[in-house]
Amino acid sequence: MINNMTSIIRSTQGGCWGSDRLRLRLYGSVFDLAVMPLIDRVESLQGVIRKVKRIEAMGQTGRSNYVDVTKFPKAGTSKLSTDEMPEAPTAPSTYNEKMLANYVPVYVMLPLGVISNDNVFEDQPKMEKQLKELRAAGVDGVMVDVWWGIVESKGPKQYDWSAYRSLFALVQECGLKLQAIMSFHRCGGNVGDEVTIPLPQWVLDIGETDPDIFYTNRKGNRNKEYLTIGVDNQPLFHGRTAVQLYSDNMKSFRQHMSDFIEAGLIIDIEVGIGPAGELRYPSYTGTQGWVFPGIGEFQCYDKYLEAEFKEAATGAGHPEWGLPDNAGEYNDTPGSTEFFGLNGTYMTEKGKFFLTWYSNKLLNHGDEILDEANRAFLGCKLKLAAKVAGIHWWYKSPSHAAELTSGYYNLKDRDGYRPIARMLSRHYAIFNFTCLEMRDSEQRADAKCGPQELVQQVLSGGWREEVEVAGENALSRYDSNGYNQMLLNARPNGISREGLPKQIMYGVTYLRLSDELLKDKNFKIFKTFVKKMHTDQDYCADLGMYNHQIGPLERSKPKLVMEDLLEATKPMEPFPWGEETDMKVDDFDGVLANLIRKLFSLFK
């Protein structure tokens, strides 16, 4: 495209060069673009533009109006020779404290099966190599699922943490921090699940005789992904309740990982409180036949939840009310159902009562498990966290059907997420949200998706409730559009040069570590993403320098009454969001085309 170019003389009128004349000598075959890798082509062309900008600056200062630029890189070379011209002075290597206040740490989620079903840390050399690559890229830490189905697989209270201890030691050796997920759900059946890790077999055995310990839909299909909320306080598991199962697991984790906690390796514990670790019902799952963008189904037809609803309805003076029987099936649209359709059941007194009960059960479940987590890790220098799903499809439909079946009672006139944030605030827990990378324009029009508005609503609600807000991408992305959307959501109003921004995410976790991520082109742009999250600062090991110092975990505040939680359902305008991030990751394809255009503009 740019071959065998010799001396080019370009005259400019006006602008910063005035009437100066610039001479560029581009020797033949310097830019053999056809054979150069894309990134190298971009870096080479970016080098040309950097030099042109320095030439412009010289023209402004009167140092020169004639420059002969001769030594450019050959094909395949990504570094420019600097013999002919000194580089501009670099910024000091010391941290800029005002910029560090805008620093958002980046974590990377490890593969789901890094610890095998047999409780073995396999392929340690490969993992060590990958962790060191992440560390060299400036990544702050990693996140890992600690599977209940692995560590307590041999029987009740027979915990085996040995494989995870080996993994944690390696993470520590590589200089990374660790986010540990207490994963009390099954792996397999959700989007992105590449391995299958079931619940402990002895728990599944109990389910053989009492299948109602699992979530159940209206047709009676059981979901063995997570124990139903209905058995939270039922002593069905060799004398223990489901809440006690989770509590004992976390207490054992603290006991066996105390050295890693005390050393500051483990900085937060994300408490699994539902399918995929998220505070929700398993309303959409591929194992039941769900396909995006189906509305999903309510999951409260096990005998335990059914009995609880009957008791609640009777107490409200409506013993005749039953669970919904007109809400459709997994792959229906809202308008095809009586419950979610125009003037549907969800708008009636009966529908509102059910949805309030259904969502309140979820709130109580999360609150109770987090209270046990707080007891288990009381005094430890770490944070608790909980994850909420980004149900962005049908967000722009009146009924928000997919959110309602998941347990998020969110409508135009009712905020379904701020009560969750208020509940988390009593446990000093981080609100972790998903789908940070998604943009409305990338979604199917017929699914009425609104990921951007959803993220804006949820994050705003978290900040209003004064909880730390973190997040992650829902699907693996390797492109600048996805990264730039995550950067925008991390700092919705850009960098504050006067200190801590009013709205800033506590951290971002990238999903997930893979061979694909570490490919040359993908990893180069990922490293740029990390750098931009760090506001172009180097990796900072001192959490206190960006306001993330962690003190001993305090005891949870007193339990909130339901009226206090429901007061947070009052809708409020979200905080304003910028159009785009001010710390942009370049789109290399776009940059390449733009640079070529700029070069050719010199020769017209």
Side-chain angles (χ1 to χ4, degrees):
M1 191 176 294
I2 306 176
N3 277 334
N4 301 317
M5 294 184 182
T6 54
S7 299
I8 305 293
I9 296 180
R10 156 91 161 136
S11 296
T12 61
Q13 302 296 326
C16 64
W17 292 1
S19 58
D20 292 342
R21 298 171 67 84
L22 168 69
R23 176 173 175 142
L24 291 176
R25 181 178 297 161
L26 305 178
Y27 282 120
S29 302
V30 168
F31 292 104
D32 190 358
L33 296 177
V35 299
M36 291 176 68
L38 175 61
I39 300 301
D40 291 339
R41 280 182 267 163
V42 172
E43 291 185 353
S44 296
L45 289 169
Q46 286 175 325
V48 174
I49 297 302
R50 285 197 297 270
K51 289 182 180 295
V52 170
K53 287 181 178 178
R54 287 200 298 275
I55 292 165
E56 292 177 5
M58 290 176 184
Q60 286 179 303
T61 60
R63 286 175 55 188
S64 174
N65 64 356
Y66 179 97
V67 181
D68 190 81
V69 182
T70 58
K71 295 184 180 179
F72 286 96
K74 295 183 179 180
T77 304
S78 62
K79 300 296 181 183
L80 288 169
S81 170
T82 56
D83 295 343
E84 76 288 352
M85 188 174 295
E87 290 287 344
T90 57
S93 59
T94 55
Y95 289 113
N96 180 320
E97 291 187 5
K98 288 185 177 179
M99 291 299 284
L100 269 180
N102 298 270
Y103 184 108
V104 177
V106 177
Y107 306 91
V108 175
M109 196 174 294
L110 295 185
L112 292 166
V114 61
I115 302 298
S116 73
N117 260 333
D118 298 327
N119 207 355
V120 175
F121 180 16
E122 297 176 336
D123 209 350
Q124 294 189 40
K126 179 181 179 180
M127 180 53 59
E128 180 177 4
K129 179 178 180 294
Q130 291 181 333
L131 291 175
K132 288 179 177 178
E133 288 185 78
L134 293 179
R135 184 63 202 83
V139 167
D140 297 86
V142 294
M143 176 182 274
V144 64
D145 289 276
V146 181
W147 295 105
W148 179 34
I150 291 177
V151 298
E152 199 178 352
S153 62
K154 296 178 181 178
K157 295 188 178 182
Q158 296 183 42
Y159 304 105
D160 182 354
W161 304 100
S162 56
Y164 281 101
R165 283 195 57 83
S166 298
L167 172 61
F168 290 6
L170 180 59
V171 172
Q172 185 177 47
E173 181 184 323
C174 293
L176 294 160
K177 299 294 185 183
L178 184 69
Q179 299 173 314
I181 310 173
M182 300 289 98
S183 295
F184 299 120
H185 62 284
R186 178 191 69 196
C187 179
N190 284 304
V191 176
D193 286 354
E194 297 176 349
V195 297
T196 299
I197 302 171
L199 300 185
Q201 185 58 50
W202 58 272
V203 174
L204 296 176
D205 290 342
I206 294 171
E208 290 296 316
T209 56
D210 185 1
D212 285 279
I213 67 172
F214 302 117
Y215 279 117
T216 306
N217 69 3
R218 190 170 64 88
K219 288 185 176 180
N221 296 323
R222 314 293 184 175
N223 187 317
K224 298 181 180 180
E225 189 175 353
Y226 186 79
L227 296 175
T228 171
I229 293 175
V231 298
D232 275 358
N233 297 296
Q234 299 286 342
L236 305 173
F237 306 94
H238 300 275
R240 291 188 291 167
T241 66
V243 169
Q244 289 170 333
L245 297 181
Y246 309 140
S247 178
D248 289 345
N249 183 282
M250 290 186 284
K251 289 174 183 176
S252 179
F253 180 90
R254 174 178 178 169
Q255 178 185 351
H256 289 84
M257 302 297 183
S258 59
D259 52 339
F260 292 121
I261 294 173
E262 291 168 6
L265 171 70
I266 302 172
I267 57 169
D268 73 53
I269 299 291
E270 183 171 292
V271 184
I273 42 182
E278 299 165 335
L279 181 62
R280 64 174 175 86
Y281 293 92
S283 57
Y284 59 98
T285 176
T287 58
Q288 300 265 347
W290 174 85
V291 178
F292 178 87
I295 59 174
E297 293 188 26
F298 292 118
Q299 303 288 320
C300 52
Y301 298 85
D302 61 83
K303 67 183 181 183
Y304 299 104
L305 283 179
E306 198 161 13
E308 287 190 38
F309 178 77
K310 178 59 68 175
E311 182 181 354
T314 300
H318 289 281
E320 75 280 7
W321 283 351
L323 295 171
D325 59 2
N326 61 350
E329 298 183 351
Y330 286 108
N331 296 316
D332 283 338
T333 61
S336 67
T337 72
E338 188 179 339
F339 192 94
F340 299 112
L342 187 65
N343 298 318
T345 306
Y346 79 96
M347 301 177 68
T348 66
E349 181 187 2
K350 177 182 177 181
K352 290 176 181 178
F353 178 83
F354 165 74
L355 291 170
T356 301
W357 172 83
Y358 191 67
S359 58
N360 285 354
K361 287 295 299 180
L362 201 63
L363 272 173
N364 281 326
H365 172 72
D367 186 46
E368 193 166 2
I369 305 303
L370 282 164
D371 194 61
E372 292 299 319
N374 179 273
R375 293 176 188 273
F377 296 103
L378 189 64
C380 296
K381 289 187 176 181
L382 50 74
K383 291 264 193 179
L384 297 180
K387 183 177 172 185
V388 172
I391 313 296
H392 60 88
W393 54 104
W394 304 113
Y395 180 84
K396 292 184 177 181
S397 68
S399 67
H400 292 240
E403 292 168 89
L404 298 191
T405 58
S406 296
Y408 305 140
Y409 190 3
N410 187 56
L411 299 170
K412 184 177 181 180
D413 60 353
R414 190 187 196 280
D415 193 325
Y417 299 98
R418 199 153 59 89
I420 298 174
R422 184 167 292 187
M423 178 271 289
L424 294 176
S425 71
R426 96 166 181 100
H427 304 291
Y428 312 100
I430 298 168
F431 191 128
N432 189 19
F433 196 62
T434 62
C435 75
L436 294 188
E437 84 286 7
M438 293 185 176
R439 299 190 301 175
D440 293 3
S441 60
E442 299 167 342
Q443 312 305 319
R444 285 173 46 174
D446 62 324
K448 297 187 177 180
C449 300
Q452 290 176 250
E453 293 82 359
L454 174 61
V455 169
Q456 192 174 357
Q457 176 193 345
V458 173
L459 268 56
S460 295
W463 285 321
R464 282 205 166 93
E465 295 299 322
E466 300 183 346
V467 299
E468 303 286 5
V469 177
E472 60 192 52
N473 50 308
L475 303 173
S476 293
R477 293 280 292 266
Y478 311 104
D479 62 292
S480 62
N481 288 335
Y483 287 131
N484 286 331
Q485 191 62 33
M486 293 175 74
L487 283 158
L488 173 61
N489 288 325
R491 291 181 293 258
N493 296 295
I495 289 170
S496 168
R497 301 189 184 278
E498 302 303 322
L500 187 67
K502 289 183 179 179
Q503 283 87 44
I504 183 171
M505 296 190 74
Y506 190 77
V508 167
T509 300
Y510 176 82
L511 181 151
R512 79 179 58 245
L513 178 61
S514 66
D515 293 337
E516 187 71 17
L517 172 65
L518 297 175
K519 286 182 178 178
D520 285 348
K521 176 184 174 182
N522 291 342
F523 203 47
K524 281 186 178 181
I525 191 170
F526 174 76
K527 287 189 283 189
T528 302
F529 164 70
V530 173
K531 192 78 169 179
K532 296 302 180 183
M533 278 290 180
H534 292 171
T535 60
D536 283 334
Q537 303 296 302
D538 292 332
Y539 162 76
C540 181
D542 184 353
L543 278 62
M545 292 191 71
Y546 52 93
N547 303 293
H548 279 47
Q549 60 269 31
I550 302 175
L553 183 62
E554 299 178 40
R555 182 70 186 104
S556 295
K557 289 176 276 189
K559 185 176 179 65
L560 294 164
V561 297
M562 189 54 66
E563 288 74 15
D564 288 336
L565 289 173
L566 294 182
E567 192 275 333
T569 63
K570 179 182 178 180
M572 301 180 73
E573 284 295 315
F575 292 117
W577 242 245
E579 289 295 321
E580 61 180 25
T581 177
D582 58 353
M583 294 294 290
K584 204 167 186 179
V585 172
D586 286 331
D587 176 349
F588 288 118
D589 292 310
V591 168
L592 175 61
N594 189 44
L595 289 172
I596 291 173
R597 282 194 298 270
K598 285 185 178 180
L599 281 174
F600 273 112
S601 72
L602 295 174
F603 311 140
K604 290 180 180 178

